[in-house]
Amino acid sequence: MLFYTLINDSGEVRFSPAPEVDKLLGNVTVLNLRLPLEVLWRNLEEIIHIKPSEIPTPLEELKSRIVNRLKPALEKEGNLNIEEFEWDTPDTNDKITNEKCRLVLGNERLFTDFIARVQGRQLAEGELTSLRGSMHCDEQTITVLMQKAVLTNHHVWVPAIRRIKGYWVCQRCGSIHCQEWTSIYGYAATCQECKSIGPLNSLQVLFRCQPLQNQNPQKVKHHTYPFDFSPSQKRAAEQLLELSQKDGVHEILVWAACGAGKTEVSFPAIRKYLSEGKRVLFAAPRQDVVHDVQLRLQRSFPDHMVKILSGAAAPDWEDSLLIVATTHQLLRFYRAFSLVVFDEMDAYPYAGNKILEFGLKQAIREDGRLIYLTATPSEELLKKFGQEDFPVIRLPLRYHGRPVPIPEWIEVNFPDKNLKNLELSDKPYFITLSKVLRELAQDGPLLVFVPTISLVPIWTEILKKVFSNKRVEGSWSSDPHRRTKVSSFLKGSCDVFICTSILERGITVNKVQVAVLFAHHEQYDIRSLVQMAGRTGRTSENPTGRAVFFAPRKTREMIRAIDWIREQNSIAKGGSFHEE
Amino acid sequence: MKSEVVPMIKKLGSLLWYDQEESCLLCSAKSVEPICSGCREEYFQPRSSRCPSCGKLIGNLSERCKDCSSGIGPKTLDKVVSLGYYGGAWRDLICNVKYKGQPYLLLRLSDYMISCTVNNLPPPDAVVPIPMHPNKLAERGFNQTEVLASILSGKLGIQLRHYLIRTKDTAPQTSLGRNERIQNLRGVFQVKEGVKLKDKIIWLVDDVITTGATLGESAKILKENGVKEIYAFCLGAGKEE
Ligand SMILES: [Zn+2]
Ligand SMILES: [Zn+2]
Ligand SMILES: [Zn+2]
């Protein structure tokens, strides 16, 4: 979207993609040159922020100051043929007729409908097509509505990516991981970090909307939950409900053992918010988990439509009180939610976390609350929580009351060189490995973790030989057949499943046994080791199982992971525990 | 201090490590080349011939595609080569470049573009991109055909020349049939004033060729102005079913 530069009677400079709207709503003079908002902001920064007392008079001087800044900048960097900078000349480019403009501006019902759809969001240009479709109106109409919202309702235009102190900074995700390229306006950049929800570049804008109003409180029928809380779950849920209403508490950490049923612990708090007409977002790191949680929430809140947002799919424009989304979807919202339940935030590497923190800050209302649910809180979370304003609720006992199986270490001297050739059957390490894997597979479906994507196909081939009479599959995050393969394992139609961290969290498979190959790899920290081991023994029918770390040596992370699980188990056994 | 920094470096390290696992532009499978061998096979179809008149992938059975044999293809081009079949992930990539502000992705295709052109076309005097209408160019901020032409120009040391200008904004060609497309393009292109085209050999560059109306019309104008031979290169073309 391109913007014109406008000056109003009092010498205030602003930018508009539809100056026709500005003209109808006030007296303005327009520079007949359309440019990306980022280019305008960067080059006219001083002029926009000029103090009212310092605005030059007559306006002619301001006009020439603007031209004097834009002209050399575009000539130096860009590749544009601008013959003349003209003010207030009629422009024939995509002109919105006065008649059309009046018609749209006069339609209050249309405007209300528009506001209802966009409140609480920050829209990228790529999302406008779908918005248009949902409102059955054309491009010009939407542009007029947007500009009206900017002029009358404090919505704002923001360049999608800005050049700040020599860095390109994405305004949607806060990342500086941007790819620079050359446009006709000079350098431009595309954000590489939030690409997965639709690439943004610096020639584009974000339309940042006003905070959402709460819906009217509604009497929610008190359905009983379609599951029973275990006693410790019940205690934690009550504690969480109380804290989530307490003044001065904005963030709460729920630290549970793997398989303790932490998701359900958040339901009473969620119910309370919904009954007050407040919007709730449940965010989880992986698509597989999101779909699973949506089902559980929908069963527990049958009066509400529990919406899913995931992947690059166009957003749904109907308002909804309860949304389940993959964490990156946070970036589509602005001051929208009163409660965000953030599942397994530590599933992200450090850099990913920064993006999500940024997204959280934007998506949550200023008076909103945040609940972290995790089995493996990061160092940063543990450091932050524990004081009165940042309470921790611990839930160390598994749902079925039995301890989490303690992982075993089995010494296996993996060769350092890559394993392209499969002639390993006679190697001593391989004999041990395959013997233990066969034992494990006798007790249930076998989940085999490897640290890198490239190891998945190699080990899938190897294990197909080891388990010639079993069904062996392998998958990784970007595998196009991932969904079908994963669901075939979850359904039990696959016996041995080799994967990267994709199944490290959030899944429950009856009787599953876990093998971590190359457990000494730097890819595995204490948290991922605890999570992988935590896949075992999750169901009441089969509360035991084995998790084996295969590695040439016992690393510090492995020792810490084993200690972590031991400690949780002993706290759980004690029945009571100190809140740190 | 140490305890904070070390895990962070470790994590960043592992991130880098993942980033470096290079992946195919089309299917994200691990691949040393920008496009993996499976996808090259599927979209570039190196053993399938191209219709010399319109660039369509035609297998090995005929010399020209059906349209061109029956005389309805473009007639002003001396030869057309296309890098791949415009469908599936190859089409998605071209669309991502055009509509999602990612022209830099084209740089990763340079080796394929070069072998496709130098192996199939005679050396030219200049490489000429199909121009975009100024309005559209203003919105998008770049012209993908110009990026393609500048890659060929830079890597092969051939002059990049903007001989053509586009004077009319046209309805998108995709919504139109063959005759409408030709109609739609009447008078759209002009040769820039004052350029000398006599006896020149030119490579015309476009991103996609479907009916060949756009390239055919540009070539017609150029030939009327004295150009001797015109060859065309594009990233994607149709396939004879
Ligand atoms: Zn971003
Ligand atoms: Zn591929
Ligand atoms: Zn043909």
Side-chain angles (χ1 to χ4, degrees), chain A residues 127-184:
Chain A
E127 294 171 73
L128 296 181
T129 321
S130 122
L131 175 62
R132 238 156 55 202
S134 85
M135 291 186 63
H136 309 288
C137 53
D138 61 19
E139 197 176 335
Q140 292 191 341
T141 304
I142 292 286
T143 313
V144 172
L145 289 170
M146 289 168 102
Q147 185 59 14
K148 180 181 176 185
V150 167
L151 293 175
T152 64
N153 277 40
H154 310 290
H155 292 43
V156 283
W157 298 109
V158 186
I161 297 174
R162 294 180 60 195
R163 194 148 73 185
I164 299 169
K165 294 189 183 127
Y167 287 100
W168 288 104
V169 184
C170 176
Q171 301 299 298
R172 178 165 71 179
C173 76
S175 167
I176 54 166
H177 183 199
C178 296
Q179 170 74 48
E180 191 173 72
W181 45 277
T182 315
S183 80
I184 55 168

Side-chain angles (χ1 to χ4, degrees), chain A residues 1-2 34 79 93-94 125 177 179-185 190-192 195 198-201 203-204 349-352 380 383 420 451-454 476 478 480 500 521-523 525 527 557, chain B residues 3-4 6-15 17-19 21 23 27-30 96 99-105 107 133-143 146-147 162 169 192:
Chain A
M1 202 176 268
L2 297 172
R34 304 190 306 158
N79 176 23
N93 293 340
D94 307 321
E125 285 181 41
H177 183 199
Q179 170 74 48
E180 191 173 72
W181 45 277
T182 315
S183 80
I184 55 168
Y185 306 105
T190 302
C191 177
Q192 302 296 298
K195 247 188 343 197
L200 276 187
N201 68 65
L203 307 183
Q204 298 178 314
Y350 178 79
E380 294 102 64
K383 219 173 280 166
K420 282 268 149 60
T452 70
I453 294 174
S454 54
W476 59 93
S478 51
T500 52
H521 195 280
E522 60 182 5
Q523 185 63 28
D525 63 2
R527 290 175 179 79
E557 296 298 304
Chain B
S3 62
E4 270 178 50
V6 170
M8 196 179 108
I9 291 172
K10 254 175 101 176
K11 278 176 183 165
L12 284 172
S14 60
L15 255 187
W17 193 52
Y18 264 93
D19 274 351
E21 272 201 319
S23 56
C27 72
S28 346
K30 199 187 166 217
N96 274 332
Y99 304 120
K100 306 218 161 141
Q102 304 182 81
Y104 49 88
L105 294 176
L107 289 174
H133 189 271
N135 277 356
K136 216 174 266 171
L137 180 61
E139 283 288 346
R140 197 171 290 169
F142 66 95
N143 177 357
E146 181 159 349
V147 179
H162 298 98
D169 210 354
K192 219 177 240 174

